[in-house]
């Protein structure tokens, strides 16, 4: 953060300590450990000695010596390996962060401090046992880049390294996961996990059991992406819904008369007139008829898709497909779909081919997937604002490391405008002014549409700039890397090119001097994001490794964030500015915006917590099913059910095919039936979840009710599973000493595919499930209140009033 306000920083740290925020500030234990590393004296060793000593240490670990004891030796040798093989000798603070990672901490290190290098030490140390280490990166490009970049250091030590990326085949994947260190995105690793748990041939499994993972850009993966469920789906014959016709019918409805929008434009409902009209246009039977419930819900979804989802904001249409825009990165989210029939509704709305949804064969939210590693560590530049969440969900304690060189970036106060056009005008003016001095400017926008509006405004002023919208990580990295050249103007959605270093002057010392004398990189944000972390990430693009730089946000009261949450309504009436062309000077306005952002963060945290509670039980069931399936797949279970329930048939089969073959057939049969039942169970859970909020009207707690229902459903599934297996077993025949399962018709879907499920965009859903007055909210609010000025009482009162207002609104 900006230097020059040390007392505030000190005060905040003090408050955080008092509030029990899970952050470690005391770095002394790391210093002590570092002294032990230094004492090894590895710099005096020859290359060959380095390699052989590492090899010896590795043998010791394989022989049972605890890795903790080997740490000083291994870290010292690895540091030398980095210095000699990569030409980068890790700085002391990097070594300390590396120690923190081994201890399973979340290391906060500013952007550009060299986290890629930091990961090498714990990765090498933990790979010594031969159990494999995963480094989880933010995208495929970074997985490939980092594995290649750090490769020489690992090779020096005799360790193998590989990366897994989207288009890799099965054999290559197996080889990559067999390496000592594997760089891969959480998403790709998750898809492989799901596929491994859907294979019918044990030889097709690609992953080894998990051991230790280091998560790079940890807040992005563990928080922003955490809610995203990964899905493996397969073909089914679903009843056809006439999406195109429904989309056309919905388009004939008139706002106000046929449907109503709620105040924040987050929900839309059909009126009675709307019902009748849809019915007439579609020429179907009465929509209230239970037999029409599929049509009715398709109409609802189509109406939502028509009215609430905006092209070029929520999605783009490219190559005859709908591609979702990620709300966090503002970029196209590849391979992502909306749940619950929203996807086909949008496809129909845009007149592109409606693709089948398939049946979900397996799914796991990233939040839970990451916890499958017995040991986890993370690193990011922006951990602190989410420290509480890291601790609660992942048991990770945040450790804040100072930059190698002090940060000298200046973070200017926000400039606020009353409307978008005024903001755009001022932005273009500011960029023109700065560009005339040749100082490089990086502009972070929230959406593709906004990038384009700005691009046009700049073009009108004949300012050359580069716009980064399309999703192409490698190309993006090249452009972002050049954003520090004199006179460069780069516009990108807010997290494009994450993980790429912006070097002033692009690496040329003379140009660097020139850019530095102009003030370094100037970062402009055109929007406040829902989370301060994302804003901080953008700011962090400037002022890396002690470089000069500055950042500033231009905001308008018409921005999505502000209008969606009704922030203007929070500004006291006397301070509410009238429409004006110049910036709003009233500090109360900026303060309210900042405060609203914290409340929104708290709410999002609460949504994730709710999701967590709802998925915890499902996860437990999934873990049980996975474990059972693993036994069945590897034929490691000694089945008894059929011998007990159908003893005569069992005995007859055994006589012709042998006990072993009968056991194999029963295991295989059980696995196939389990797979199908689990798919049905997942669908049932979705149905239960969708309707569960209604329990509140019956005075019951939705969460308790939800858990009760899915526990019952699980028990019933297991019971039926057993019965079905026995039934099908009775139909088995042995021929030529083998039992043929094919004939039974239980098999996996021929085609499977994987994708991510985007949040339901009409997401008042999870909000509706947040327990009213939950302890979590008040805790988060209290901590926030202690951390950031306004005294707890004020915030609490405010939250209270807001809730009361919301309740009143709901009743109206
Ligand atoms: P981060 O991930 O923390 O943002 P990177 O790993 O991308 O940072 O590294 C940023 C830059 O710092 C890279 O260009 C890298 O070469 C350089 N760097 C990192 N550590 C060192 C070091 N110990 N010595 C010299 N250069 C380093
Ligand atoms: Mg990085």
């Amino acid at each position: 953060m900006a230097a020059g306000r040390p007392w505030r920083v000190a005060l905040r740290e003090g408050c955080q300590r008092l509030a029990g925020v899970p952050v470690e500030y005391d770095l002394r234990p790391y210093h002590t450990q570092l002294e032990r590393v230094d004492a090894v004296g590895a710099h005096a060793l020859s290359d060959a000695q380095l390699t052989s000593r590492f090899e010896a240490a590795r043998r010791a670990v394989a022989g049972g010596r605890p890795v903790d004891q080997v740490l000083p030796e291994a870290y010292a040798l690895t540091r030398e390996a980095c210095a000699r093989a990569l030409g980068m000798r890790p700085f002391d603070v990097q070594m300390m962060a590396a120690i923190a990672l081994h201890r399973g901490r979340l290391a906060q290190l500013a952007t550009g401090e060299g986290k890629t290098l930091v990961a090498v030490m714990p990765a090498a140390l933990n790979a010594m046992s031969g159990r494999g280490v995963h480094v989880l990166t933010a995208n495929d490009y970074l997985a490939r880049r980092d594995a290649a970049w750090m490769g020489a250091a690992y090779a020096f030590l005799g360790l193998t390294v590989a990366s897994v990326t989207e288009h890799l085949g099965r054999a290559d994947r197996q080889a990559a996961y067999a390496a000592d260190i594997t760089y891969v995105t959480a998403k790709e690793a998750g898809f492989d996990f799901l596929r491994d748990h859907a294979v019918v041939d044990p030889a097709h499994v690609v992953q080894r059991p998990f051991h230790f993972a280091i998560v790079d850009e940890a807040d992005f993966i563990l928080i922003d992406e955490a809610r995203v469920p990964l899905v493996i789906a397969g073909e089914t014959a679903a009843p056809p819904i006439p999406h195109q016709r429904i989309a056309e019918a919905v388009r004939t409805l008139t706002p106000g008369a046929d449907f109503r929008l709620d105040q924040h434009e987050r929900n839309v409902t059909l009126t009675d007139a709307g019902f009748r009209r849809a019915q007439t246009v579609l020429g179907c039977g009465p929509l209230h008829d239970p037999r029409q419930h599929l049509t009715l819900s398709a109409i609802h979804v189509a109406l939502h898709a028509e009215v609430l989802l905006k092209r070029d904001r929520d999605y783009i249409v490219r190559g005859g497909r709908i591609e979702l825009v990620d709300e966090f990165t503002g970029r196209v989210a590849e391979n992502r779909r909306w749940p619950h029939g929203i996807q086909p509704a949008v496809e129909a709305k845009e007149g592109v081919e409606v693709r089948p949804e398939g049946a979900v064969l397996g799914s796991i939210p990233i939040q839970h997937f990451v916890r499958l590693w017995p040991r986890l560590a993370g690193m990011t530049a922006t951990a602190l604002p989410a420290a509480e969440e890291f601790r609660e969900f992942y048991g990770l304690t945040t450790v804040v490391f100072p930059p190698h060189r002090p940060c000298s970036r200046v973070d200017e106060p926000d400039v606020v405008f009353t409307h978008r056009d005024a903001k755009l005008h001022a932005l273009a003016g500011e960029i023109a002014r700065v560009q005339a001095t040749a100082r490089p400017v990086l502009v972070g926008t929230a959406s593709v549409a906004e990038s384009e509006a700005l691009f046009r405004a700049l073009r009108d002023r004949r300012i050359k700039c580069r716009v980064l919208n399309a999703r192409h990580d490698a190309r993006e990295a090249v452009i972002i890397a050049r954003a520090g050249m004199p006179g460069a103007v780069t516009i990108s959605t807010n997290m494009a090119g994450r993980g790429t270093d912006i070097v002033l002057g692009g690496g040329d010392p003379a140009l660097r001097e020139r850019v530095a004398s102009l003030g370094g990189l100037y970062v402009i944000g055109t929007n406040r994001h829902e989370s301060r972390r994302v804003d901080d990430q953008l700011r962090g693009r400037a002022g890396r490794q002690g470089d000069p730089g500055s950042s500033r946000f231009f905001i308008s009261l018409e921005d999505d964030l502000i209008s969606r949450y009704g922030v203007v309504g929070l500004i006291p009436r006397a301070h509410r500015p009238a429409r004006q062309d110049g910036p709003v000077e009233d500090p109360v306005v900026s303060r309210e915006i900042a405060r609203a952002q914290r409340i929104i963060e708290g709410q999002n945290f609460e949504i994730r917590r709710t999701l967590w509670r709802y998925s915890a039980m499902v996860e437990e069931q999934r873990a049980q099913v996975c474990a059972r399936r693993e036994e069945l797949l590897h034929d490691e279970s000694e089945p008894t059910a059929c011998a007990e329930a159908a003893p005569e048939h069992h005995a007859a089969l055994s006589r012709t095919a042998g006990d072993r073959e009968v056991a194999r057939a029963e295991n295989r049969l059980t696995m196939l039936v389990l797979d199908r039942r689990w798919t049905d169970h997942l669908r049932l859970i979705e149905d239960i979840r969708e309707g569960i909020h209604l329990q509140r009207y019956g005075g019951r707690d939705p969460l308790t009710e939800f858990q009760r229902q899915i526990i019952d459903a699980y028990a019933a599934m297991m019971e039926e599973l057993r019965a079905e297996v026995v039934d099908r077993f009775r139909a088995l025949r042995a021929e030529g000493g083998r039992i043929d399962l094919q004939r039974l018709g239980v098999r996996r879907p021929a085609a499977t595919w994987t994708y991510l499920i985007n949040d339901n965009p009409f997401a008042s859903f999870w909000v509706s499930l947040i327990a009213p007055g939950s302890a979590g909210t008040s805790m988060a609010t209290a901590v926030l209140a202690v951390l950031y000025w306004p005294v707890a009482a004020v915030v609490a009162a405010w939250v209270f009033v807001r809730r009361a207002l919301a309740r009143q609104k709901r009743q109206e």
Side-chain angles (χ1 to χ4, degrees), residues 111-112 114-116 142 145-146 216-217 379 498-500 544:
T111 314
K115 290 185 280 295
T116 319
L142 292 172
R145 182 198 75 174
D146 293 352
D216 193 8
E217 307 284 5
M379 47 190 195
R498 196 168 180 170
T500 307
R544 302 179 98 166

Side-chain angles (χ1 to χ4, degrees), residues 259-270 300-301 303-305 307-309 313 564 693 760-765 768 810:
F259 61 85
R260 279 198 207 96
L261 268 173
D262 80 347
Q263 187 207 6
H264 300 315
E265 307 207 342
R266 293 191 86 180
N267 205 359
V268 53
T269 39
L270 273 180
H300 267 128
V301 174
L303 181 63
H304 277 71
V307 181
L308 300 182
L309 290 179
R313 185 193 69 189
R564 185 155 14 127
H693 64 282
N760 188 332
F762 318 124
S764 38
F765 178 65
S768 74
R810 268 201 303 274

